[in-house]
Amino acid sequence: MAQPRALAHIHSDVGRHAFPCEVRLHGGNDRVGIPVIDQSVLVWGGPDEKSRMIRNLGMACQEWGFFMVINHGVPEGLMGAMEAVTREFFDLPEEEKRKYEGKGLVDAVRYGTSFGSGHMFFWRDFVKVLVRPKFHSPSKPQGFGDLLAEYCEKMHDMGKVLLKGISESLGLDTEHIN
């Protein structure tokens, strides 16, 4: 029986590939293509191009269960700013972060860590923020809430386009999954 091989590396030029993205697996030089969905084709592509991308999206969902989205319309500057302000949150003093230490799974804003838990498989610090239907955000660092709101709107827009494509790939009305 063959040993399963773990994912080792996603090619560094991943955003420049159209389809598929190269992935190297541990234990060999085998390469596997992760499905890449070009959202700009779903939005602005011609009928044939759009139809092909919808088929690719459907196959990605059925055969892989995931895919990478390129040309999604989320500005790189916004993604970088969101990453930077999130790092600033985790760089806050512990006493400041503990203000968001929630006890319930459905707390609107919840900071926590797996460090010191009895069943730790990997150490992670996290901040969980509910943004729909009502928007919530930590008040610090300054600007976190504004960036998060803008980023979440872009993610929501991207999600709507993908859900329309998934619906269509299943032979459903484009608004079926909404």
Side-chain angles (χ1 to χ4, degrees):
M1 187 182 303
Q3 286 271 31
R5 293 177 288 172
L7 182 65
H9 172 76
I10 295 180
H11 195 281
S12 62
D13 289 333
V14 76
R16 297 185 189 141
H17 291 277
F19 187 87
C21 166
E22 286 186 352
V23 176
R24 223 177 290 157
L25 300 175
H26 280 299
N29 291 324
D30 296 344
R31 295 179 190 274
V32 177
I34 292 177
V36 178
I37 303 303
D38 186 336
Q39 184 167 323
S40 68
V41 173
L42 293 174
V43 176
W44 297 295
D48 292 341
E49 200 178 23
K50 185 176 178 182
S51 180
R52 182 178 37 81
M53 191 57 62
I54 288 170
R55 280 193 311 275
N56 288 346
L57 179 57
M59 286 189 322
C61 291
Q62 289 178 345
E63 295 176 15
W64 284 77
F66 62 91
F67 49 85
M68 178 175 35
V69 181
I70 61 171
N71 299 321
H72 43 65
V74 181
E76 285 189 36
L78 177 59
M79 291 188 295
M82 191 67 231
E83 184 178 338
V85 78
T86 301
R87 286 181 196 276
E88 286 179 41
F89 175 86
F90 287 106
D91 288 342
L92 290 171
E94 283 303 312
E95 57 274 4
E96 189 65 40
K97 291 184 286 192
R98 281 196 194 108
K99 292 177 183 177
Y100 301 105
E101 209 167 39
K103 302 299 178 216
L105 291 176
V106 294
D107 290 343
V109 178
R110 189 172 134 222
Y111 162 77
T113 183
S114 63
F115 184 72
S117 67
H119 297 88
M120 182 176 63
F121 294 108
F122 61 92
W123 178 7
R124 68 183 175 115
D125 291 342
F126 63 89
V127 61
K128 180 199 73 155
V129 184
L130 297 180
V131 296
R132 290 196 180 265
K134 183 178 177 195
F135 181 82
H136 300 275
S137 174
S139 58
K140 291 185 180 179
Q142 185 173 353
F144 188 96
D146 292 337
L147 275 169
L148 181 61
E150 184 180 355
Y151 182 77
C152 288
E153 278 307 307
K154 294 290 188 184
M155 291 292 111
H156 186 72
D157 293 345
M158 180 174 64
K160 288 189 296 188
V161 169
L162 292 171
L163 288 174
K164 285 180 179 186
I166 291 169
S167 293
E168 196 168 336
S169 78
L170 294 169
L172 303 170
D173 179 70
T174 58
E175 298 299 320
H176 188 81
I177 305 173
N178 192 343

